[in-house]
């Protein structure tokens, strides 16, 4: 979800920059489908790993027995 919002914001920013005018020696930014897909895929993998790793470690811990804790 956040990757799509970020890509939409970047596309909007590039669209706004394209209307500013030509600057000598400066090419207007463009977004390729492959780089957007690679960025969203990389962020998705990082988010999944960052969520699963600590959750798996926590699930492997022994539960605390509330009745015996004195």
């Amino acid at each position: 979800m956040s990757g799509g919002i970020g890509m939409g914001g970047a596309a909007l920013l590039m669209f706004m920059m394209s209307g500013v005018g030509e600057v000598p020696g400066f090419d207007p930014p463009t977004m390729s489908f492959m780089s957007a897909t690679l960025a969203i895929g990389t962020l998705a993998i990082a988010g999944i790993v960052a969520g699963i790793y600590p959750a798996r470690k926590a699930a492997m811990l022994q539960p605390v027995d509330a009745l015996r804790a004195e």
Side-chain angles (χ1 to χ4, degrees):
M1 177 85 174
S2 62
I5 293 170
M7 286 297 161
L12 178 64
L13 183 64
M14 285 187 271
F15 175 74
M16 290 172 22
M17 288 176 69
S18 68
V20 172
E22 296 277 332
V23 177
F26 178 76
D27 290 333
T30 59
M31 182 185 304
S32 71
F33 176 76
M34 182 55 91
S35 63
T37 304
L38 182 63
I40 290 176
T42 303
L43 290 172
I45 290 170
I48 290 168
V49 170
I52 289 177
Y53 177 71
R56 187 172 184 274
K57 273 185 89 170
M60 296 174 85
L61 293 173
Q62 284 287 70
V64 176
D65 189 4
L67 298 176
R68 289 192 200 176
E70 293 178 6

